[in-house]
């Protein structure tokens, strides 16, 4: 087990190098940092000497070899903690990125805590009576859930709980934007929770749909297995058959899936964050993107790809831990 | 037969409701097994062998409609409630399945799975005692180093050893009836012989009634006292082993015998044609379309089992055909 | 957890409630007829097919079905008699927008553009994805390895991020721009969505081909000396038609949703000449939230949901229909 973890971590390092290099090239091409810099600093842009200096310090040379050299300049700065400052406003990147990261993780974990129990319960509920009304209802509900795009549910909820509710009853039922009311200072979990309700609902709709379908399929697979028939042939209680044999086995792929899903949280909530003005990674990305702010986007991408790679590893470990058939070395 | 039968089935019928219609998988099967006796059940794939006994155990899905009667001792199982079924399963009747790898739960230790069977019918027994009993059972079925093996998982066992585990599980509560559904089909010949030996030993020692479902007439010849031949959800011939092999009167049984590979016979002659579609089973004798001796009268009433020479045969022309053998 | 419907989303495994021990029932129906029967039996899919057909007819016949032109106000505004943001049911069925245009007509025009983008993208993705996925599945080896690696990473990243970055890259390469046209053209959008969308299809087809390859009739053909291309075109592809249809259906919803997402964030097709799409209509509805012009929010949103719902149901029904495991489905 330990050998496996070490080996996988050792593998993760070259993978990260390759992925970050590809991301570096893609972002250099997509954002064109030099042009962005010129746009943000029109006066500097007129001075060729200063521009040349910007290219040199940040490694923004053109051509493939320029990209390779530039990547190493960026990498050195990144690992030594000398991150490039943002193009817009020349601010250090990490403080804002950290706040965004924490906010998104908060929102994502809350959504996970809501959607996994609901989704799994629905899936189990459906699988226990396949082909019956409840099964059809859950299945249909899941497809409806898939079809409700987050930006649509987000603005409809905003309209209903914010604007229309205020029209009918005098004031909005739920806050529809931000993390706190404007001007609020300090940390207030209850207030924050209230601001997170609508974003969490939006994120959870599609999550619940997908968890319920996966759980249903996985449990049905197990329910139709030979070993479940063996368990029933023993004369143990149906409850024990379901919990000890069916659910235990059906959870294996679900745990793996959940691990992968949690790894995708940090970059995956852009739409609801944007609609509800929630100051997380998504809003950070959209702002940085619109400014062509390469120094902000690069660490952002590193965080989300590392998270994906890390949780991939965790998913493998969880799988091996839950399923004795998997050999790790 | 008499009330002393370990298992007694009368006119069992199983129908599956499917999207395409009703599949009449079992259409009136009756049989008795006495304690200490081995009843062989043979027939082509799809003839309803497994379904009959899964129905007895109440292990079919919700789309199965079961009619008739199946008694273990005095307990009626068809239409019984879950409580009754649970008390009987694993306690009075136990079942061994064809593929021991998929029949064992991959994520539980083998010993725990055997112990679970013990605990299911010994309420109040401690977990430790059940675990000890499980090791004992593994020893009885001939698994070497049972303590260590009990802590392993099914995938760490060979095919033959897995089937021994299944048998250990099945005999945990000294069942009156042991149903073995093709217990050796997935195994190679030497292992096959060992497994059959284990089953035979247990039968002798405990006086268990054994139902042995198989494709392999060789296995039947070696193990069974009596044989029942199934075709299209019905029993078409029934006899003691010797009579069936030497003086069968049903054309289907003779076809089966002729299609078995044996030493000394050069070529197999498989029965031409395929088993009938059980969505619309043919009227009269279901074997009609494939039978070399079919005549117009075979399309009449479904033939019942009648004594012809030394076997009970469900063939309207059996008497006339005697001469042909 | 990610909140996006994958472009060509790789859906949860098909319903597996079947009993493998049963074997395939013999019936008198041909496989195609059986598939058709199963599709019709999937009631939601059947109803969705009818609704979608009606929507398509409506959209195609826009000269008849739309009440006003794409850029036409419902009447000329006068002092004290404005034509903007009128609530529904009086003069305009679905109300009017901030320019006094008829929302009902604009939804029809928007659906036209969205469906067109969806269809072209889906066809492009399926052609490319089938080709690459088929080759990778059939040949295996390094091609297969690369396909799996690349798509693994692609599927792990948020779709919107991938789309935005790829869009930026395509925009900044001169010779690409020459082919693809302006970033706000429909052509650019279709190519962008295809470039990103084929990967999901490729994985699906790869899996299918890998499975088929092991089957007896393919082995038999190979043993008889059939060439690779013959096996590919005469055996593998025809036997994958069902799966390809399923992929195509889901690719259409994926593309429509991706278009809407991009439009929502301002990366959509150009609306300059009054041209619109469902995504653009939904984007415009953001502005209608604070003043509470609910119709501008509800009608495009609900129409979009109904449209994707229909296509998703059809895809679900098709998948069940072509899945051989579903033949035993319990009543
Ligand atoms: N759940 C089910 N739904 C529909 N039909 C079924 C179901 N289970 C079994 N059948 C049908 O019942 C018939 C009898 O099946 P059964 O498994 O008893 O055959 P068998 O004699 O045991 O064959 P084998 O030697 O292959 O094990 C088959 O035609 C099969 O298709
Ligand atoms: S009843 Fe007729 S068809 Fe059936 S086995 Fe006898 S001879 Fe053949
Ligand atoms: Mg069987």
């Amino acid at each position: 087990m330990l050998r496996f973890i070490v080996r996988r971590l050792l593998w993760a390092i070259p993978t990260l190098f390759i992925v970050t290099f590809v991301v570096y090239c893609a972002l250099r091409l997509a954002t064109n940092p030099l042009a962005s810099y010129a746009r943000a600093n029109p006066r500097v842009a007129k001075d060729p000497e200063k521009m040349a200096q910007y290219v040199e310090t940040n490694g923004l040379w053109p051509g493939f070899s320029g990209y390779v050299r530039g990547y190493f300049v960026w990498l050195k700065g990144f690992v030594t903690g000398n991150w490039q400052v943002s193009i817009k406003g020349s601010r250090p990147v990490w403080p804002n990125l950290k706040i965004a990261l924490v906010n998104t993780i908060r929102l994502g974990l809350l959504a996970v805590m809501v959607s996994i129990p609901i989704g799994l319960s629905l899936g189990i509920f459906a699988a226990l009576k396949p082909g019956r009304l409840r099964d059809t209802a859950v299945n249909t509900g899941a497809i409806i859930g898939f079809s409700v795009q987050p930006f649509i549910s987000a603005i409809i909820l905003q309209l209903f709980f914010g604007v229309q509710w205020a029209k009918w009853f005098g004031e909005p039922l739920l806050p529809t934007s931000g993390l706190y009311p404007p001007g609020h200072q300090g940390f207030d979990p209850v207030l924050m929770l209230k601001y997170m309700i609508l974003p969490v609902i939006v994120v959870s709709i599609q999550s619940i749909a997908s968890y319920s379908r996966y759980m249903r399929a996985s449990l049905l697979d197990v329910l139709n297995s030979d070993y479940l028939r063996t368990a029933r042939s023993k004369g143990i209680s149906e409850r024990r058959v379901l919990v000890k044999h069916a659910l235990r086995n059906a959870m294996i792929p679900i745990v793996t899936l959940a691990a992968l899903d949690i790894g995708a949280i940090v970059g995956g909530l852009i739409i609801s964050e944007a609609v509800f003005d929630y100051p997380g990674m998504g809003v950070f990305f959209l702002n940085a993107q619109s400014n062509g702010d390469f120094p902000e986007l690069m660490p952002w991408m590193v965080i989300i790809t590392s998270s994906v790679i890390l949780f991939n590893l965790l998913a493998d470990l969880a799988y091996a831990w839950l399923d004795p058939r998997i050999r790790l070395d | 037969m008499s009330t002393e039968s370990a298992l007694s089935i009368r006119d069992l019928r199983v129908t599956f409701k499917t999207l395409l219609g009703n599949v009449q998988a079992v259409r009136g099967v009756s049989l008795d097994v006495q304690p200490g006796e081995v009843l062989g059940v043979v027939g082509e794939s799809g003839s309803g062998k497994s379904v009959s006994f899964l129905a007895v155990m109440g292990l079919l899905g919700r789309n199965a409609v079961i009619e008739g009667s199946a008694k273990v001792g005095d307990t009626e199982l068809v239409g019984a409630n879950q409580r009754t079924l649970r008390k009987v399963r694993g306690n009075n009747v136990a079942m061994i399945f064809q593929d021991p790898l998929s029949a064992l739960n991959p994520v539980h230790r083998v010993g725990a799975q055997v112990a679970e069977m013990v605990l299911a019918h010994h309420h109040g027994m401690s977990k430790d005692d059940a675990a000890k009993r499980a090791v004992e059972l593994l020893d009885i079925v001939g698994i070497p180093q049972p303590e260590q093996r009990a802590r392993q998982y099914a995938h760490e066992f060979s095919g033959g050893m897995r089937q021994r585990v299944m048998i250990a599980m099945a005999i945990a509560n000294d069942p009156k009836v042991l149903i073995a559904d093709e217990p050796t089909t997935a195994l190679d010949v030497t292992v096959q012989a060992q497994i059959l030996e284990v089953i035979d030993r247990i039968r002798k020692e405990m006086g268990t009634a054994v139902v042995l479902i198989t494709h392999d007439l060789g296995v039947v010849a070696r193990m069974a006292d009596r044989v029942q031949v199934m075709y299209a959800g019905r029993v078409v011939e029934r006899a003691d082993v010797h009579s069936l092999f030497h003086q069968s009167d049903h054309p289907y049984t003779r076809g089966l015998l002729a299609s078995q590979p044996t030493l000394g016979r050069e070529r197999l002659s498989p029965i031409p044609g395929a088993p009938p579609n059980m969505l619309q089973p043919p009227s009269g004798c279901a074997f009609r379309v494939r039978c070399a001796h079919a005549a117009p009268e075979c399309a009449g009433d479904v033939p019942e089992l009648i004594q012809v020479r030394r076997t009970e045969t469900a063939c309207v022309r059996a008497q006339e055909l005697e001469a042909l053998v | 957890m990610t909140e996006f419907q994958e472009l060509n989303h790789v859906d949860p495994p098909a319903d597996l409630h079947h009993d493998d021990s049963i074997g395939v029932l013999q019936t008198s129906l041909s496989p195609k007829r059986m598939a058709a029967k199963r599709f019709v039996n999937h009631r939601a899919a059947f109803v969705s097919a009818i609704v979608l057909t009606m929507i398509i007819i409506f959209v195609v016949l826009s000269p008849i079905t739309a009440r006003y032109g794409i850029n036409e106000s419902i009447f000329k505004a006068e002092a004290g008699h404005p034509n903007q943001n009128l609530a529904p049911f009086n003069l305009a069925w679905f109300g009017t927008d901030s320019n006094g245009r008829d929302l009902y007509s604009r939804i029809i025009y928007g659906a036209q553009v969205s469906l067109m983008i969806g269809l072209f993208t889906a066809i492009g993705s399926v052609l490319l994805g089938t080709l690459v996925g088929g080759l990778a599945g059939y040949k295996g080896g390094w091609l297969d390895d690369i396909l799996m690696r690349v798509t693994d990473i692609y599927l792990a990243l948020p779709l919107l991020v991938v789309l935005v970055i790829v869009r930026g890259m395509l925009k900044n390469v001169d010779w690409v721009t020459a082919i693809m046209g302006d970033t706000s053209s429909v052509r650019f959008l279709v190519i962008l969505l295809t470039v990103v969308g084929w990967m999901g299809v490729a994985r699906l087809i790869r899996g299918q081909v890998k499975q088929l390859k092991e089957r007896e009739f393919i082995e038999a053909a190979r043993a008889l000396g059939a060439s690779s291309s013959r096996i590919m075109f005469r055996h593998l592809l025809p036997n994958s038609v069902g799966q390809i249809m399923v992929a195509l259906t889901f690719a259409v919803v994926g593309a429509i949703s991706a278009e809407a997402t991009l439009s929502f964030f301002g990366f959509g097709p150009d609306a300059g000449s009054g041209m619109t799409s469902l995504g653009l209509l939904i984007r415009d509805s953001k502005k209608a939230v604070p003043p509470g012009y609910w119709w501008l929010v509800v009608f495009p949103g609900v129409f979009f949901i109904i449209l994707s719902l229909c296509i998703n149901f059809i895809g679900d029904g098709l998948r069940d229909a072509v899945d051989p495991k579903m033949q035993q489905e319990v009543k």
Side-chain angles (χ1 to χ4, degrees):
Chain A
M1 191 72 137
L2 197 70
R3 273 216 349 247
F4 172 81
I5 298 176
V6 172
R7 214 184 48 205
R8 277 293 300 265
L9 282 176
L10 288 180
W11 258 113
I13 293 166
T15 313
L16 258 177
F17 278 122
I18 295 171
V19 172
T20 48
F21 177 67
V22 172
V23 167
Y24 177 89
C25 297
L27 282 180
R28 275 281 304 270
L29 192 56
T31 59
N32 196 353
L34 198 57
S36 310
Y37 183 70
R39 236 183 300 125
N41 304 282
R43 237 179 296 150
V44 181
K46 292 205 192 83
D47 185 345
E49 222 166 86
K50 281 197 175 151
M51 288 304 278
Q53 165 136 38
Y54 188 76
V55 169
E56 284 303 315
T57 47
N58 294 302
L60 299 179
W61 304 287
F64 184 70
S65 67
Y67 274 38
V68 175
R69 278 164 61 212
Y71 171 70
F72 284 107
V73 169
W74 169 84
L75 187 65
K76 189 164 162 243
F78 184 79
V79 295
T80 56
N82 299 316
W83 290 19
Q84 299 174 12
V85 294
S86 70
I87 287 177
K88 184 105 185 276
S90 301
R91 280 184 308 249
V93 172
W94 176 239
N96 286 333
L97 188 56
K98 192 178 85 184
I99 294 171
L101 185 61
V102 170
N103 283 340
T104 292
I105 290 176
R106 248 184 222 141
L107 177 61
L109 287 186
L110 194 60
V112 165
M113 286 183 325
V114 170
S115 52
I116 288 186
I118 298 179
L120 298 193
S121 314
L122 286 174
I124 295 170
F125 181 68
L128 289 182
K129 292 268 165 71
R132 295 282 183 81
L133 179 67
R134 53 157 85 171
D135 186 26
T136 316
V138 170
N139 252 328
T140 310
I143 294 181
I144 294 176
F146 281 129
S147 306
V148 178
Q149 291 295 312
F151 50 88
I152 299 177
S153 56
I155 41 180
I156 289 182
L157 287 176
Q158 228 175 17
L159 175 77
F160 182 74
F161 287 108
V163 181
Q164 295 300 118
W165 198 279
K167 268 192 191 161
W168 298 328
F169 304 107
E171 60 180 296
L173 182 66
L174 288 169
T176 56
S177 118
L179 183 57
Y180 286 123
H184 176 90
Q185 295 283 320
F187 180 70
D188 180 350
V190 178
L191 188 61
M192 187 167 72
L193 216 55
K194 216 171 149 190
Y195 273 74
M196 282 161 74
I197 292 178
L198 291 184
V200 165
I201 293 178
V202 168
V203 175
S204 300
I205 291 177
Q206 296 207 316
S207 268
I208 290 174
S210 87
Y211 276 111
S212 70
R213 273 186 71 106
Y214 271 111
M215 186 69 215
R216 175 181 174 277
S218 176
L219 184 55
L220 275 176
D221 235 13
V222 174
L223 287 175
N224 286 317
S225 69
D226 285 0
Y227 58 79
L228 214 80
R229 194 176 55 191
T230 308
R232 289 222 165 89
S233 80
K234 288 177 169 181
I236 52 181
S237 69
E238 186 64 17
R239 197 191 146 83
R240 194 178 161 89
V241 170
L242 286 180
V243 176
K244 273 266 165 174
H245 293 272
L247 283 179
R248 167 72 174 73
N249 291 54
M251 280 311 285
I252 297 174
I254 302 292
V255 170
T256 313
L257 181 80
L260 292 176
D261 245 17
I262 293 172
I265 282 178
V266 285
L269 310 180
I270 301 185
I271 296 173
S272 9
E273 288 184 5
V275 175
F276 293 107
D277 244 335
Y278 184 90
M281 294 289 274
V283 169
F284 185 97
F285 171 83
L286 289 171
N287 286 336
Q289 197 278 332
S290 71
N291 297 328
D293 207 324
F294 178 82
E296 287 193 329
L297 285 174
M298 206 47 214
W300 189 92
M301 286 296 287
V302 172
I303 288 177
I304 68 162
T305 45
S306 317
S307 166
V308 165
I309 291 173
L310 176 70
F311 277 87
N312 240 303
L313 171 66
L314 289 181
D316 283 354
L317 287 178
Y319 198 70
W321 177 57
L322 289 169
D323 191 335
R325 283 168 297 183
I326 307 296
R327 272 277 176 68
L328 284 186
D329 20 54
Chain B
M1 295 193 189
S2 55
T3 46
E4 71 205 87
S5 297
L7 171 68
S8 159
I9 298 178
R10 289 286 169 277
D11 198 26
L12 185 74
R13 290 166 189 278
V14 181
T15 309
F16 292 104
K17 295 210 154 29
T18 74
L19 206 58
L20 301 170
N22 291 346
V23 179
Q24 303 176 31
V26 178
R27 306 182 295 145
V29 164
S30 301
L31 61 83
D32 285 271
V33 201
Q34 313 304 325
E37 180 194 38
V38 177
L39 173 71
V41 176
V42 294
E44 277 172 307
S45 205
S47 54
K49 307 183 296 289
S50 302
V51 168
S52 305
F53 292 95
L54 288 172
V56 170
M57 297 280 284
L59 291 174
L60 291 172
R62 281 176 306 110
N63 65 329
V65 179
I66 305 167
E67 294 156 311
S69 150
K71 277 189 175 159
V72 174
D74 295 329
T75 319
E76 173 64 58
L77 297 183
V78 174
N81 60 20
Q82 282 298 316
R83 267 185 80 164
T84 318
L85 279 175
R86 261 178 52 203
K87 256 189 216 143
V88 171
R89 281 183 201 153
N91 197 17
N92 301 351
V93 195
M95 198 155 174
I96 304 170
F97 301 101
Q98 171 178 349
D99 179 4
L101 179 59
S102 61
L104 287 167
N105 193 323
V107 309
H108 293 309
R109 290 175 205 280
V110 158
Q113 294 188 57
V114 178
E116 184 178 39
M117 184 76 147
V118 177
L119 275 176
H121 301 282
H122 291 84
H123 306 287
M125 191 190 234
S126 79
K127 282 214 170 131
D128 280 349
D129 290 346
K132 277 192 203 113
R133 173 78 178 131
V135 172
E136 231 173 272
L137 286 162
L138 293 179
D139 197 27
I140 293 175
V141 295
I143 293 178
Q145 295 168 314
E147 284 103 14
Q148 282 95 315
R149 297 298 255 169
R151 286 194 294 274
Q152 294 185 328
Y153 295 96
H155 71 274
E156 295 168 284
F157 281 63
S158 69
M161 285 295 151
R162 282 178 205 134
Q163 198 56 287
R164 285 173 197 256
V165 174
M166 286 299 295
I167 297 173
M169 206 188 292
I171 62 170
N173 301 305
D174 292 341
K176 298 195 173 58
V177 185
L178 179 64
I179 300 166
D181 190 353
E182 307 191 26
T184 57
T185 310
L187 307 173
D188 66 51
V189 189
T190 37
V191 183
Q192 216 174 60
Q194 292 165 2
I195 294 295
L196 292 176
E197 244 163 62
V198 173
I199 295 178
D200 204 45
R201 202 183 73 221
I202 283 155
R203 175 189 63 88
K204 281 201 198 104
E205 285 171 12
M206 311 199 204
T208 319
V210 177
V211 176
L212 184 65
I213 302 172
T214 178
H215 281 143
D216 188 341
L217 287 174
V219 169
V220 170
R222 182 154 69 214
M223 292 278 294
D225 302 311
R226 286 186 306 124
V227 195
Q228 191 139 306
V229 181
M230 287 188 64
Y231 186 78
R234 287 183 68 84
V235 178
V236 292
E237 190 159 29
R238 173 154 78 191
D240 65 279
V241 171
H242 193 263
S243 308
L244 190 98
F245 275 84
H246 296 285
Q247 227 172 38
S248 158
D249 283 311
H250 198 285
Y252 174 67
T253 312
R254 281 189 228 153
L256 270 188
L257 289 167
S259 67
Q260 287 283 317
T262 43
L263 294 174
R265 194 184 301 130
E266 302 269 291
R267 275 189 326 164
L268 309 182
S269 42
I271 306 173
N277 176 358
M278 299 310 286
L279 281 168
Q280 291 120 17
S283 64
C285 174
F287 188 53
R288 216 168 71 230
V289 273
R290 297 165 75 188
C291 181
H293 309 290
E297 68 257 38
C298 302
D301 291 335
V302 179
E304 296 290 338
L305 284 171
I306 43 166
Q307 189 74 37
V308 183
R309 296 195 298 176
R310 287 159 61 183
T311 69
E312 286 173 86
T313 301
C315 168
V316 289
R317 298 193 62 203
Q319 312 278 6
E320 313 163 40
L321 295 175
E322 251 176 66
L324 295 173
V325 192
Chain C
M1 173 50 54
T2 45
E3 54 189 3
F4 309 99
Q5 176 154 30
E6 311 282 351
L7 190 65
N8 307 319
H9 63 163
V10 187
D11 214 56
D15 311 348
L16 297 172
H17 51 297
H18 62 278
D19 193 332
D20 260 337
S21 62
I22 309 163
V24 175
L25 288 173
Q26 304 136 319
T27 62
S28 47
L29 294 175
S30 74
K32 260 189 207 143
R33 288 281 306 279
M34 295 248 293
K37 189 175 159 136
R38 266 176 276 136
F39 184 81
V40 173
N41 257 309
H42 194 300
R43 218 174 305 157
F46 188 61
V47 173
S48 296
I50 294 172
V51 174
L52 184 68
T53 313
M54 272 161 46
I55 291 177
I56 290 176
I57 290 173
F58 244 70
V59 163
V60 169
L61 297 182
S62 63
I64 303 167
T65 52
R67 299 175 73 203
Y68 297 91
I70 192 159
N71 228 347
E72 184 185 350
S73 2
I74 59 169
F75 57 82
K76 214 165 151 24
E78 289 156 19
H81 190 38
N83 60 9
Q84 298 139 339
N85 299 322
L86 295 179
F89 310 133
N90 298 325
L91 296 163
W93 295 340
F94 289 178
T96 65
D97 68 4
S98 56
N99 286 325
R101 294 173 296 193
D102 179 38
L103 183 62
Y104 160 79
S105 310
R106 283 181 65 76
I107 287 181
I108 292 180
Y109 297 124
Q112 224 166 24
V113 173
S114 285
L115 280 172
M116 202 166 70
I117 291 175
L119 205 62
F120 283 139
T121 304
I123 292 172
S125 305
V126 166
L127 284 180
L128 200 61
T130 305
L131 191 72
V132 179
L135 271 177
Y138 185 66
K139 294 266 185 216
W142 59 270
L143 182 64
D144 195 30
D145 286 341
I146 292 183
L147 178 78
M148 293 313 283
R149 288 289 162 283
V150 172
T151 52
D152 266 348
I153 293 177
Y154 151 74
L155 288 172
L157 294 176
L159 176 63
L160 182 61
V161 173
V162 176
L163 282 174
V164 166
I165 293 176
V166 173
R167 178 177 185 276
M169 290 165 66
L170 294 176
K171 188 178 71 179
N172 285 346
V173 180
D174 294 335
W175 60 267
V176 176
T177 337
I179 304 172
M180 294 179 58
D182 189 60
T183 46
S184 56
S185 67
V186 168
R187 178 160 46 131
F188 182 92
L189 211 61
V190 167
I191 298 177
L192 170 64
L193 294 180
T194 308
V195 164
V196 173
W198 64 271
M199 290 186 260
V201 184
R203 278 176 82 107
L204 198 83
I205 300 299
R206 167 192 176 271
Q208 164 81 2
V209 166
K210 268 198 124 85
Q211 232 173 32
L212 279 177
K213 218 172 77 175
E214 308 300 322
R215 293 254 297 272
E216 285 146 34
F217 68 100
I218 303 288
E219 305 232 308
R222 202 168 334 167
L224 289 173
S227 67
S228 289
S229 62
R230 189 182 160 84
I231 291 176
M232 187 103 181
F233 287 103
R234 295 300 296 272
H235 297 286
L236 292 180
L237 277 183
N239 278 290
S240 308
V241 167
Q243 289 292 331
I244 295 176
M245 289 289 292
V246 174
L248 187 76
T249 316
F250 285 126
V252 173
V253 221
I256 291 179
S257 309
E259 182 274 325
T261 312
L262 280 174
S263 300
F264 190 78
F265 287 102
F267 305 116
D270 187 11
S273 56
M275 195 243 329
T276 192
S277 74
L278 292 177
L280 290 170
L281 287 172
I282 293 168
R283 178 168 85 126
D284 289 344
S285 70
K286 261 192 290 193
K287 281 179 260 145
V289 171
Y293 301 143
W294 59 267
W295 56 94
L296 291 176
V297 177
V298 171
F299 289 116
V302 169
F303 180 79
F304 189 90
I305 291 175
I306 291 175
L307 185 64
S308 15
L309 197 58
C310 285
I311 306 176
N312 273 331
F313 269 134
I314 292 171
D316 199 51
L318 276 178
R319 191 180 37 208
D320 286 0
V322 301
D323 182 357
K325 288 170 182 164
M326 295 296 294
Q327 295 183 2
Q328 317 278 340
E329 177 85 355
V330 178
K331 225 176 217 166

